[in-house]
Amino acid sequence: HYSTTWKAMARLCVAKESVWFDQGKYEGAETRYQEVVAQRHTGLRIEGRAVPVESKAPPAAVAPNHITSQFEKAKSFIQESLKTVPSAGSRVSSTMEQRVAQLEKENCELKSTLQAVQSRLSLLEERVGKLDGEAAETVAPPPADDDDDDVDLFGSDDEEQDAEAEKLKQERLEAYQAKKAKKNPVIAKSSIILEVKPWDDETDMKEVEKVVRAVESDGLVWGASKLVPVGYGIKKLQITCVVEDDKVGTDFLEESITAHEDLVQSVDIVVFNKI
């Protein structure tokens, strides 16, 4: 009875607890692995077992005579190449010598050209000097005053011709002035459309037009008119007039019309065109 109870309790404990039954087996395997690793590095025997040690074979030796012969061959080849190929310094020096020679040649040509130009210039200066001297010699001195020049044997005819020319000139000038005076001067005029607004819809617009046309002045001509609705029964008067710019101005028209305060509220210029 007690053994059965103990086994049941052991099973219960094993079921509830984590128990590693193979711990010894795994520890032995770990020990053997470490021995193999140590044997490979040191070459020692452990418990009568021999573990091969990894080794690297030394590289094969090269015969020194063979290396020397190859070096001599390379050296001789380089020397022969240097003898056959010209050096860069020699090429540069030859190129510089060619350029210097070309520059010297061009310099000589420029000097010869300059000398030729200078010689031609000196010849031209000499020739110009000669021509100036000849011109100065050929210029004649001014004639001396002679008292006989004051005597005009034909002066009477010249005076008569001058008098006739002056008279003809004066007649033509007078005729031009008279013709110009007969022409009518151009009068600058303008066409204006005015808008006359009343105070309310009870204002008599016929009376307003009568007041506007009553404005008279020299150079003022009234034209057509019409009533234009504004709103709420109110209408404004649009009236056209032609004025001479020098005699009648817009300020005169506005002041003359707005003087009737009981009928007119305001005056606006809608159109202003030059004729």
Side-chain angles (χ1 to χ4, degrees):
H1 177 70
Y2 290 104
S3 61
T4 304
T5 304
W6 182 83
K7 289 180 180 180
M9 292 177 64
R11 289 176 183 175
L12 183 61
C13 291
V14 169
K16 291 184 177 181
E17 297 292 337
S18 296
V19 181
W20 189 13
F21 294 100
D22 296 334
Q23 181 178 1
K25 187 188 295 184
Y26 284 96
E27 288 180 353
E30 179 67 23
T31 302
R32 288 194 297 272
Y33 172 75
Q34 295 296 336
E35 290 175 355
V36 171
V37 172
Q39 174 64 22
R40 289 182 181 276
H41 284 81
T42 59
L44 301 176
R45 287 179 173 272
I46 300 175
E47 297 180 357
R49 297 191 303 269
V51 181
V53 179
E54 296 179 356
S55 60
K56 295 182 180 180
V62 182
N65 294 333
H66 180 69
I67 295 174
T68 305
S69 61
Q70 293 293 333
F71 177 76
E72 292 296 335
K73 288 181 181 180
K75 183 177 179 182
S76 61
F77 178 76
I78 292 171
Q79 290 177 354
E80 292 295 332
S81 300
L82 292 175
K83 290 178 181 179
T84 56
V85 179
S87 61
S90 62
R91 290 198 299 269
V92 172
S93 61
S94 62
T95 305
M96 291 298 294
E97 289 176 357
Q98 292 176 1
R99 293 185 63 183
V100 169
Q102 185 178 0
L103 290 174
E104 289 179 353
K105 182 179 179 181
E106 292 177 356
N107 191 16
C108 294
E109 292 177 356
L110 288 175
K111 285 182 178 180
S112 60
T113 305
L114 181 61
Q115 291 177 358
V117 171
Q118 288 178 351
S119 61
R120 291 183 181 181
L121 182 61
S122 60
L123 291 174
L124 288 174
E125 289 178 352
E126 184 179 355
R127 185 175 179 182
V128 170
K130 290 181 180 180
L131 292 175
D132 291 340
E134 293 176 359
E137 292 176 357
T138 55
V139 173
D145 295 336
D146 192 356
D147 296 338
D148 295 338
D149 294 339
D150 296 337
V151 179
D152 188 4
L153 300 177
F154 305 98
S156 58
D157 295 339
D158 294 339
E159 290 177 358
E160 291 177 359
Q161 292 177 359
D162 293 342
E164 291 178 358
E166 187 65 26
K167 184 179 179 181
L168 181 61
K169 180 180 179 181
Q170 189 67 26
E171 290 177 356
R172 290 180 178 178
L173 183 60
E174 290 176 358
Y176 173 74
Q177 293 292 342
K179 186 177 181 181
K180 185 177 180 181
K182 290 180 181 179
K183 288 184 177 180
N184 295 325
V186 179
I187 300 174
K189 296 182 179 181
S190 300
S191 176
I192 303 174
I193 298 178
L194 300 175
E195 278 188 355
V196 183
K197 297 178 182 179
W199 288 103
D200 50 25
D201 58 341
E202 297 179 356
T203 304
D204 188 0
M205 298 305 297
K206 292 183 178 180
E207 186 67 20
V208 172
E209 183 177 356
K210 183 178 179 181
V211 169
V212 172
R213 292 184 181 274
V215 178
E216 296 181 351
S217 177
D218 185 18
L220 172 62
V221 178
W222 293 105
S225 64
K226 64 178 181 179
L227 296 177
V228 180
V230 178
Y232 302 100
I234 302 174
K235 295 181 180 181
K236 60 184 178 181
L237 174 66
Q238 276 192 358
I239 186 168
T240 305
C241 64
V242 177
V243 300
E244 295 182 9
D245 296 343
D246 295 337
K247 297 180 180 179
V248 181
T250 56
D251 295 337
F252 168 75
L253 295 174
E254 291 178 2
E255 291 174 0
S256 301
I257 296 172
T258 54
H260 304 278
E261 298 179 354
D262 54 340
L263 297 174
V264 179
Q265 178 188 3
S266 63
V267 177
D268 296 327
I269 299 175
V270 180
V271 178
F272 189 99
N273 294 324
K274 293 288 184 179
I275 300 176

